[in-house]
Amino acid sequence: MTVTPRWFDALKKDPKAAEVGVQWFSPAESEARRRELLQEYDPLRGGARQNLSEEAFSAARALAKRYLPVGLGPTATARLGQKTRAWLLLDPESAPELKVALSPLHAPFFWLPAGQSVASLQEALAPYFLASAPAEETLVRTERGLVGTGAREGLDLLQLHARYQDSAFLDGVAWGSAYPHEPAMDSLPRGAAGRVQARRFLEQSPTHRATFSFRSLHSRSLLTAEAHEGAVEGVRLFIVRLRYRPAQQSALIRALNQRLGSTYPEDLPIDLAGALTGLPFDTEDTVSRALTPGLSPASLSFALLCLEGLAADNASAEARLRPFSEHPEGLVRQLVAHLALRRGLSGLLADMAARESHPELKQRLAEAVRRLASD
């Protein structure tokens, strides 16, 4: 029989635990759930893999073996009706605190530290079990990150949609760029009717960039995958935009970044971090730090293309492009001009035209300024 610490025995007797949705296991139930949990780390089944690398998945399996499931927490319900109940776990060997797995398919790297009391458990759960999905305008934090290219990672937007639809960290209902705002804040009809309605939401706008947007399952944050094509022939960039309420779990995200070699913002809700796993998430700051002296024109051009795509608005794009508008390499100046024209940055183009010394490029810049002025 597993010996549990005194603080945990006291926690199980606290009647307030039931008020936050906790149901404790008997010793026999704990052992049964332990076997159930470890089945998700079977290499052939791998429900807990969730895009982890082989190394990270092996480490997750080793960690999971140390823990004993001790109870269930609240339930999250996806819009098509699937229910996911949180698990409460304890490491009997060290037992410094309770852990919360928002889903048994979440690896231990994503488990929330929940302290030793009902109050600390409630504090850990609060950002992830909401009465309703927060309106988009209340998601005050926005981060944009490059997750890959068509050439380097072999990505396409449909592949990203499938990846996020299958994620245990996200609600599987997505919507395309034909919907500037979320088309269904609440649940959808059960069964075939709901699935048909959800498929309609995938429509793309013929006049806007192709995107797919998802809600995370627990914090109800927004994840939008964008396809950036046409800026340079043959280059496709895929960028993910996150909108969320900052979470107060920086130590957890720091540990996750160290474990996975990622650079996620430290105020990121853990379900968004889980959804991003397996692909890079290079922010504007990450790309900017790569702009070291002596960078080849080709590498610099790719970095500028990324920075333009990552820019949240025209002002941000111009701030990133302007320092390179006088670059000694003509190909770099041409790219800056091309990206400025696509953005309609008439002031930047006019400044470039005024000081450009290459006759052909100067003429093309002047034409671009006239074109924008006549639009």
Side-chain angles (χ1 to χ4, degrees), residues 147-229:
V147 297
T149 72
R152 190 174 65 191
E153 281 80 17
L155 294 179
D156 61 48
L157 195 60
L158 289 177
Q159 185 184 77
L160 280 177
H161 170 265
R163 181 189 191 93
Y164 294 131
Q165 184 181 47
D166 293 342
S167 173
F169 296 92
L170 299 176
D171 185 311
V173 173
W175 59 99
S177 61
Y179 297 88
H181 301 289
E182 189 172 9
M185 290 286 285
D186 300 314
S187 61
L188 297 177
R190 300 294 185 263
R195 292 192 294 272
V196 169
Q197 188 172 338
R199 282 197 291 272
R200 292 199 202 104
F201 296 157
L202 300 179
E203 183 181 356
Q204 300 294 339
S205 167
T207 58
H208 291 82
R209 177 178 291 117
T211 65
F212 286 115
S213 297
F214 293 84
R215 283 273 186 177
S216 63
L217 183 58
H218 289 89
S219 69
R220 311 301 289 167
S221 306
L222 285 171
L223 180 152
T224 299
E226 304 173 351
H228 289 245
E229 303 183 66

Side-chain angles (χ1 to χ4, degrees), residues 19-324:
E19 297 175 10
V20 295
V22 171
Q23 173 190 331
W24 299 113
F25 293 148
S26 68
E29 288 172 330
S30 285
E31 290 301 330
R33 291 299 180 114
R34 188 207 290 266
R35 292 191 294 271
E36 184 180 335
L37 178 66
L38 293 181
Q39 286 178 353
E40 300 300 342
Y41 291 87
D42 185 311
L44 297 179
R45 181 173 178 178
R49 186 178 294 274
Q50 296 296 311
N51 298 307
L52 291 170
S53 68
E54 190 60 46
E55 180 183 3
F57 185 61
S58 296
R61 181 169 58 243
L63 274 174
K65 288 179 178 178
R66 289 169 35 189
Y67 279 85
L68 179 71
V70 293
L72 296 174
T75 299
T77 304
R79 270 176 285 206
L80 286 174
Q82 304 95 326
K83 295 184 181 296
T84 301
R85 194 159 185 188
W87 285 32
L88 310 181
L89 303 105
L90 185 70
D91 180 351
E93 297 299 321
S94 60
E97 63 183 347
L98 200 64
K99 296 283 188 178
V100 176
L102 295 175
S103 161
L105 299 184
H106 295 184
F109 316 140
F110 305 101
W111 295 352
L112 306 172
Q116 299 181 356
S117 66
V118 170
S120 59
L121 175 59
Q122 188 171 22
E123 184 179 4
L125 293 170
Y128 297 102
F129 294 94
L130 309 173
S132 60
E136 186 172 346
E137 60 270 17
T138 69
L139 302 174
V140 295
R141 187 87 154 88
T142 300
E143 283 284 355
R144 297 172 62 80
L146 175 71
V147 297
T149 72
R152 190 174 65 191
E153 281 80 17
L155 294 179
D156 61 48
L157 195 60
L158 289 177
Q159 185 184 77
L160 280 177
H161 170 265
R163 181 189 191 93
Y164 294 131
Q165 184 181 47
D166 293 342
S167 173
F169 296 92
L170 299 176
D171 185 311
V173 173
W175 59 99
S177 61
Y179 297 88
H181 301 289
E182 189 172 9
M185 290 286 285
D186 300 314
S187 61
L188 297 177
R190 300 294 185 263
R195 292 192 294 272
V196 169
Q197 188 172 338
R199 282 197 291 272
R200 292 199 202 104
F201 296 157
L202 300 179
E203 183 181 356
Q204 300 294 339
S205 167
T207 58
H208 291 82
R209 177 178 291 117
T211 65
F212 286 115
S213 297
F214 293 84
R215 283 273 186 177
S216 63
L217 183 58
H218 289 89
S219 69
R220 311 301 289 167
S221 306
L222 285 171
L223 180 152
T224 299
E226 304 173 351
H228 289 245
E229 303 183 66
V232 173
E233 185 176 356
V235 177
R236 293 183 300 157
L237 302 179
F238 296 93
I239 287 170
V240 163
R241 181 180 76 242
L242 307 175
R243 293 198 65 178
Y244 58 94
R245 290 173 173 172
Q248 306 300 316
Q249 294 155 347
S250 57
L252 179 62
I253 299 296
R254 278 198 301 272
L256 182 67
N257 283 337
Q258 185 174 10
R259 168 75 70 173
L260 302 181
S262 50
T263 55
Y264 303 143
E266 291 186 2
D267 63 355
L268 203 62
I270 198 62
D271 52 358
L272 280 185
L276 293 175
T277 300
L279 290 173
F281 187 75
D282 294 328
T283 64
E284 194 173 281
D285 288 343
T286 306
V287 176
S288 295
R289 287 196 295 271
L291 296 176
T292 55
L295 204 62
S296 71
S299 296
L300 176 57
S301 295
F302 179 72
L304 290 178
L305 194 61
C306 295
L307 287 173
E308 189 273 335
L310 288 166
D313 51 39
N314 283 355
S316 177
E318 181 168 350
R320 289 302 189 187
L321 293 173
R322 184 173 283 278
F324 302 93

